[in-house]
Amino acid sequence: MNRYIVTALALAALATSGCMSPPKDLDLALTRPTVDGKYVVTLQPPAKPAAINQLHAWQMKLTTPAGTPVPSSRIRVDGGMPGHGHGLPTKPQVTRELPDGGYVIEGMKFSMTGWWEIKLAIEGPAGADRVTFNTVVAETGPGR
Amino acid sequence: MTWVLSTTAAALCGALTVTLADAYDPAPPAGLVRWSADEKAVLASLSLKRLPAAPVDPSNAVERQPAAIELGRLLFEDKRLSRNGDVSCATCHDPAKQFQDGLPVSRGVGTGTRRSMPIVGAGHAVWLFWDGRKDSLWAQALGPLEDAVEHGTNRTRVAQRIALDHRGAYEAVFGALPRLDDLPGDASPKGNAVEQAAWSAIQPHRREAVSRVFANVGKAIAAYEKSLLHAPTRLDAYLEALLRGDRAAGGLLRANEARGLRLFIGKAQCVSCHNGPLFSDQQFHNTGVPPRDTTRPDRGRAAATAAVRSDEFNCLGPFSDAQPEQCQELRFMVTDDPALEGAFKTPGLRGVADRAPYMHAGQFATLEQVVRHYVAAPHAALGHSELTHRHDGAGPPKHAERAPIELSEAEIADLVSFLRTLSPVTSKAFEVD
């Protein structure tokens, strides 16, 4: 999909949700350091986008700041829509580990378009830390 | 309806205006508001044509069988499945009234505490009832049967009535009925003390056999309910014409209705929760709707998650046809979010103008009162409202991220006018699959 179309769709989602302004520095990066810098997390959404209100799985990779994979960590998933004051419609969980610091997050679901936060609380060998990802869920509209 | 992730920076509303400046339809219908390409994408998402078939319920193996659908239709209208012989599912879910009853709180053998919900489209819901205390349509159908103020009947009595009145139709779908005529006529794990004692006295394997018949009653009723489809509305006719570029679209919606639609998907923020072809996100929200009984405010979703998790008729229970791995909604259910306190399911809005009163306990008599509630945005009696308001003009709203819903008198009128376009174009409120 054309990058400009994606952006326009994201904007439309924000606009039609009442024109709520996300923070000006909203960062949509899928690789982020944790708040205290103990880890680096990369989130990977499914290759085929899921429909609104459809359960689906994400993957994540946990490494040290130097890039060494961090297995066997405890990860809690939380989040919600900051502009609406409500949380995620489901309680996603890390259900299994993959090689090289990979983890599978099942039970992901978005119930509407707009700005969502995905918050991860990590307890690993370097201690506890947390990170928040922003994602903008938009509609692709046949008939456009 | 799919979502995509934008990896580019999100821009703000001000930028949006510029972005869309050149995107307006070059030949808008005369006399109507113009829609941008992005607004059209949202409008398309509301069209009934965009509604996929209801997802398959793996916990109900018979839901597509015509014989189960027909049995379910008979059971839905069968008043013998009640304590006083005068209450059927159709009593509170009247097919002539969009499968609801027009009352603030429903009346079965007694009086309930919440509004009866319409049924068409319910097969798309993950959680059933206003508080989502059931996780399937068939489990939902069982609740009222054993509820003391709804049907007021009990498990063995229902099973015995099936054997007496519907044996042939039942056995054609579910196989041979167990022997039931030697069991006590009133026994249930959910009933009064006498009924519970009688239930406990029945051997476990026979209790399970009775419960299986009872569960199958729910599965047949669910099959019938799932066969009911929404009829197209005036809005659908407008959207279809608009989206295929038909200039005749302009004649299908009045200017005030079109202005109301723009408010609905924009400034009034309705589409935030009333999204998709059913106009519901199927989730739970506290919007500060005043409780019907202020001395006993209703906890809504917060009190229901434990109930659905422990329900013997849930997706993971012994009467479900699903494999455990198919019960993901139950597995990933939110149970500990403070936002569930006083939260109720977003109702769909198709046909809404024809089924006053409104909200989970019929608190508002008119659509105008409903809209005014969202503008007033009162504090919640229990939990916290998601709405924002500049109460008394003092300072910024509490949730600065969310804009207050501020509408003029004319805008309120336009929004209500729009909501009336969600009624079917024909006299038929529903169609049968």
Side-chain angles (χ1 to χ4, degrees):
Chain A
M1 179 176 288
N2 180 304
R3 164 171 284 219
Y4 293 105
I5 293 176
V6 173
T7 307
L9 289 167
L11 289 168
L14 292 172
T16 54
S17 299
C19 219
M20 292 159 299
S21 301
K24 287 189 170 57
D25 57 349
L26 185 65
D27 186 347
L28 297 173
L30 288 170
T31 296
R32 296 178 62 86
T34 51
V35 171
D36 294 335
K38 293 174 183 167
Y39 310 100
V40 172
V41 180
T42 299
L43 273 186
Q44 186 185 333
K48 184 171 177 281
I52 298 281
N53 261 336
Q54 184 180 74
L55 280 167
H56 60 283
W58 288 45
Q59 290 186 19
M60 65 162 275
K61 182 168 181 164
L62 185 65
T63 69
T64 66
T68 308
V70 180
S72 307
S73 297
R74 185 161 172 264
I75 294 148
R76 281 183 294 115
V77 186
D78 198 358
M81 294 192 88
H84 291 218
H86 65 73
L88 296 174
T90 53
K91 188 170 186 174
Q93 292 168 29
V94 170
T95 52
R96 62 194 162 92
E97 279 195 55
L98 300 171
D100 299 326
Y103 300 80
V104 176
I105 303 172
E106 285 190 275
M108 291 291 290
K109 185 200 261 191
F110 300 109
S111 51
M112 63 178 79
T113 56
W115 169 34
W116 292 80
E117 285 182 336
I118 301 168
K119 300 178 179 180
L120 304 175
I122 297 150
E123 287 177 39
D129 208 345
R130 61 206 149 80
V131 60
T132 298
F133 290 85
N134 298 299
T135 189
V136 175
V137 178
E139 295 199 54
T140 55
R144 283 167 54 85
Chain B
M1 190 161 39
T2 56
W3 58 265
V4 292
L5 275 177
S6 171
T7 52
T8 55
L12 304 176
C13 295
L16 179 69
T17 311
V18 176
T19 307
L20 302 181
D22 300 324
Y24 283 117
D25 188 335
L32 275 180
V33 297
R34 300 176 179 185
W35 301 108
S36 70
D38 297 273
E39 282 176 321
K40 280 186 180 177
V42 178
L43 294 179
S45 74
L46 301 174
S47 168
L48 187 59
K49 280 204 165 172
R50 291 282 293 272
L51 183 68
V56 171
D57 177 2
S59 72
N60 183 358
V62 304
E63 66 172 358
R64 294 294 296 175
Q65 291 184 18
I69 293 171
E70 176 57 15
L71 172 62
R73 188 184 66 79
L74 295 173
L75 297 175
F76 191 86
E77 296 170 355
D78 191 341
K79 293 183 176 179
R80 289 168 296 193
L81 299 177
S82 68
R83 191 179 72 213
N84 63 4
D86 205 30
V87 173
S88 72
C89 303
T91 301
C92 298
H93 301 283
D94 183 348
K97 298 179 181 173
Q98 297 186 47
F99 292 89
Q100 53 89 52
D101 57 12
L103 300 171
V105 291
S106 53
R107 282 187 214 136
V109 300
T111 301
T113 57
R114 293 190 188 143
R115 176 105 173 73
S116 66
M117 303 186 85
I119 285 172
V120 181
H124 291 265
V126 173
W127 309 108
L128 283 298
F129 285 120
W130 281 104
D131 58 8
R133 65 185 181 276
K134 293 285 188 173
D135 69 343
S136 72
L137 212 45
W138 66 269
Q140 185 282 328
L142 300 175
L145 292 170
E146 290 192 297
D147 187 286
V149 299
E150 296 188 61
H151 294 241
T153 185
N154 59 70
R155 211 162 290 189
T156 53
R157 187 162 289 269
V158 166
Q160 287 170 347
R161 286 253 57 109
I162 296 300
L164 285 171
D165 304 327
H166 300 282
R167 179 179 289 274
Y170 175 96
E171 293 189 336
V173 178
F174 298 108
L177 279 159
R179 186 177 178 192
L180 298 161
D181 60 353
D182 59 335
L183 292 175
D186 291 298
S188 166
K190 296 260 183 192
N192 59 34
V194 174
E195 289 168 331
Q196 290 191 31
W199 182 256
S200 297
I202 301 173
Q203 293 171 291
H205 74 278
R206 299 200 67 192
R207 288 202 298 253
E208 178 165 341
V210 171
S211 292
R212 188 163 298 283
V213 175
F214 188 63
N216 288 341
V217 166
K219 290 177 182 178
I221 292 172
Y224 164 63
E225 292 177 331
K226 211 160 175 178
S227 74
L228 305 169
L229 304 176
H230 278 292
T233 67
R234 210 146 62 75
L235 177 71
D236 294 311
Y238 170 74
L239 294 179
E240 284 170 36
L242 179 78
L243 296 169
R244 66 171 178 259
D246 187 341
R247 294 180 66 86
L252 298 173
L253 221 58
R254 299 180 190 96
N256 59 332
E257 294 165 340
R259 288 196 303 269
L261 172 55
R262 168 163 278 162
L263 291 166
F264 187 91
I265 66 169
K267 182 180 173 186
Q269 304 178 40
C270 311
V271 80
S272 292
C273 297
H274 293 286
N275 63 351
L278 294 176
F279 293 82
S280 172
D281 64 356
Q282 309 290 353
Q283 302 303 321
F284 303 91
H285 300 277
N286 183 337
T287 56
V289 176
R292 184 165 196 84
D293 180 352
T294 52
T295 63
R296 287 185 303 169
D298 193 334
R299 295 187 65 206
R301 182 58 173 164
T305 56
V308 68
R309 180 152 280 170
S310 63
D311 184 5
E312 66 182 309
F313 298 115
N314 71 20
C315 184
L316 289 166
F319 308 106
S320 165
D321 300 319
Q323 297 300 311
E325 61 271 19
Q326 293 176 298
C327 302
Q328 293 219 339
E329 294 286 356
L330 207 53
R331 190 173 162 204
F332 297 111
M333 177 173 64
V334 177
T335 58
D336 56 357
D337 186 344
L340 302 183
E341 192 71 51
F344 295 88
K345 193 162 78 173
T346 310
L349 297 183
R350 288 189 170 270
V352 69
D354 304 318
R355 47 181 165 85
Y358 302 106
M359 305 310 197
H360 61 270
Q363 290 97 324
F364 299 134
T366 66
L367 285 174
E368 184 183 319
Q369 288 175 9
V370 173
V371 174
R372 288 186 188 282
H373 166 78
Y374 287 99
V375 175
H379 297 297
L382 202 62
H384 296 283
S385 172
E386 291 177 16
L387 302 180
T388 296
H389 189 261
R390 299 179 217 276
H391 285 289
D392 306 320
K398 190 176 171 190
H399 305 293
E401 310 91 341
R402 180 170 187 153
I405 299 171
E406 294 173 333
L407 302 174
S408 69
E409 288 297 311
E411 288 173 330
I412 290 172
D414 285 345
L415 195 48
V416 170
S417 296
F418 159 67
L419 291 171
R420 298 190 193 288
T421 70
L422 298 175
S423 293
V425 285
T426 66
S427 59
K428 281 172 63 186
F430 64 94
E431 298 172 335
V432 177
D433 191 4

